[in-house]
Amino acid sequence: MKEHLTRRQVLQATALLGSASLLGFRVSLATPVKEKTPPLTPEEITAIETALGKKGTYKEAEATHTTPLPRNDLKVSIRGEPVPIAFGFGGWVSIKRTVDGKTAMLMSDTVLLQEEVNPLISAAHANGLEVSAIHNHFFYEEPRIFYMHLHGMGTPAELASKFAATIRESKLSPANQPKAADTATPATGKQNFDLPALDAIVKYTGTVNGPTCKYTVGREDVTIMAMGAEMTPSIGLNSWASFAGNQQKAHIAGDIAMLETEVNPVIKALRQHNLEVVAVHHHMLGDDPHIIFLHYYGLGPAPALAQGFRAALNELGKHGKAMDHGKH
């Protein structure tokens, strides 16, 4: 059965193509919105890991290779209490192909001290990568931490080489990182938290990372495209909650990936559960539909914090995609 575009749809598509061309992104109306991403080859994965000097993880279901970039050189405290790097101070870089298989894209989230921000901007531009966002993820942290998102397009090997050159002189480089320090206590997230109880509240299964527990939730309800690639959890399209501390006194920090219509319902849900809204911003350029990210923080009993995260998730996927400003 043939589908006919309305005049409004044609105008919207034309506007999208115009804005995309200004940004240098390649967009094709002939490309289906939902299409299986071609996988990276073993040779391409080897080239990525060789360039970065570190083994990563390849998720076949998302056809995405991710290299973690934890800042083990930092000692971070929040509200005067030491928190582990795994709580939210580990960056990453991911590479995947575009859906047409003609090229690949890179996205990264980097963890930086204030004085490291502008040197990395210069290094990224010098090596052919672009900056898509710079912002905070936390309140009350010492030292103050900023997060810079980078992106680029090219072959997987080219992208890995560009990124490696960008971070070569920085603490982000695996070659410049110390090994993760041994903690004074052997307790892991499994001992610190009642994981079955938290899983029951969040309705997902948490992952233990050292002394922390983390929940990562994708957006199965919507297809997001950027630079010709499908955005999936491993390349940054996810909501998450990380727990540090213990079941009785926990820190929670996280991120909610939202359509524009979901921003204020999520803010309301978080505040109703006494969680603090830390930042509202974008991570990506050229994404369609546009995704807004919200970072939040809380301190208290882990079950109560988990209920706040679940309440925010409950607002996703039920407010439509178009803003109705007549309600305001």
Side-chain angles (χ1 to χ4, degrees), residues 219 255-259 261-272 275 277 294 296 308-309 311-316 319:
R219 289 294 306 248
D255 201 357
I256 308 293
M258 309 166 294
L259 296 168
T261 55
E262 298 163 346
V263 172
N264 279 279
V266 166
I267 290 174
K268 184 176 181 180
L270 291 169
R271 292 302 300 135
Q272 287 175 337
L275 295 181
V277 175
L294 179 152
Y296 63 91
F309 177 54
L313 293 180
N314 288 343
E315 296 300 327
L316 304 182
H319 295 280

Side-chain angles (χ1 to χ4, degrees), residues 261 264-265 323-328:
T261 55
N264 279 279
M323 293 294 295
D324 183 1
H325 294 288
K327 293 181 179 179
H328 303 290

Side-chain angles (χ1 to χ4, degrees), residues 1-310:
M1 181 171 137
K2 287 188 176 181
E3 293 185 4
H4 297 280
L5 293 175
T6 66
R7 183 174 181 274
R8 181 180 180 186
Q9 288 172 325
V10 171
L11 290 173
Q12 288 175 330
T14 303
L16 174 61
L17 284 171
S19 62
S21 63
L22 288 173
L23 291 168
F25 301 142
R26 299 174 184 174
V27 182
S28 172
L29 284 178
T31 302
V33 173
K34 189 76 171 177
E35 188 173 322
K36 186 174 177 60
T37 300
L40 296 175
T41 68
E43 293 77 17
E44 288 169 335
I45 293 171
T46 297
I48 292 170
E49 295 181 342
T50 299
L52 294 174
K54 184 176 183 178
K55 287 283 186 183
T57 301
Y58 182 66
K59 285 201 173 182
E60 291 187 13
E62 300 178 47
T64 303
H65 183 279
T66 301
T67 305
L69 301 169
R71 287 297 300 265
N72 295 323
D73 59 304
L74 299 178
K75 294 185 184 298
V76 182
S77 64
I78 294 180
R79 290 188 179 274
E81 295 183 4
V83 291
I85 294 303
F87 182 52
F89 305 98
W92 50 269
V93 57
S94 292
I95 295 173
K96 72 183 301 183
R97 287 198 171 280
T98 53
V99 292
D100 64 9
K102 295 179 180 179
T103 187
M105 62 96 72
L106 172 148
M107 293 196 73
S108 177
D109 192 4
T110 56
V111 180
L112 303 166
L113 297 170
Q114 296 176 84
E115 60 269 23
E116 296 171 333
V117 171
N118 280 281
L120 191 68
I121 293 174
S122 297
H125 284 171
N127 287 286
L129 298 180
E130 295 185 326
V131 177
S132 59
I134 301 170
H135 44 237
N136 65 306
H137 285 189
F138 287 91
F139 287 156
Y140 317 117
E141 84 277 20
E142 292 289 341
R144 197 170 186 206
I145 304 294
F146 282 84
Y147 296 76
M148 184 190 301
H149 294 262
L150 300 174
H151 68 216
M153 299 196 75
T155 70
E158 287 171 348
L159 291 171
S161 294
K162 288 179 178 181
F163 189 81
T166 296
I167 67 172
R168 184 169 292 129
E169 302 302 320
S170 76
K171 290 290 186 181
L172 297 171
S173 174
N176 300 333
Q177 272 292 303
K179 291 182 179 180
D182 293 332
T183 56
T185 171
T188 70
K190 190 173 183 179
Q191 285 79 49
N192 291 336
F193 298 101
D194 183 346
L195 294 183
L198 296 183
D199 290 352
I201 295 170
V202 178
K203 299 179 183 177
Y204 287 93
T205 301
T207 301
V208 171
N209 186 359
T212 69
C213 171
K214 185 175 182 179
Y215 294 88
T216 304
V217 182
R219 289 294 306 248
E220 298 293 333
D221 61 310
V222 63
T223 297
I224 308 295
M225 301 295 293
M227 295 181 280
E230 183 182 359
M231 299 294 96
T232 54
S234 293
I235 205 157
L237 182 64
N238 61 69
S239 300
W240 58 270
S242 184
F243 291 83
N246 57 56
Q247 189 77 356
Q248 291 71 43
K249 184 181 180 183
H251 297 270
I252 188 175
D255 201 357
I256 308 293
M258 309 166 294
L259 296 168
E260 293 174 334
T261 55
E262 298 163 346
V263 172
N264 279 279
V266 166
I267 290 174
K268 184 176 181 180
L270 291 169
R271 292 302 300 135
Q272 287 175 337
H273 287 79
N274 205 33
L275 295 181
E276 296 188 51
V277 175
V278 174
V280 178
H281 49 230
H282 69 271
H283 288 178
M284 300 172 282
L285 299 177
D287 50 328
D288 180 38
H290 189 43
I291 294 293
I292 303 296
F293 293 84
L294 179 152
H295 290 267
Y296 63 91
Y297 168 79
L299 182 66
L305 300 177
Q307 288 167 2
F309 177 54
R310 181 64 248 181

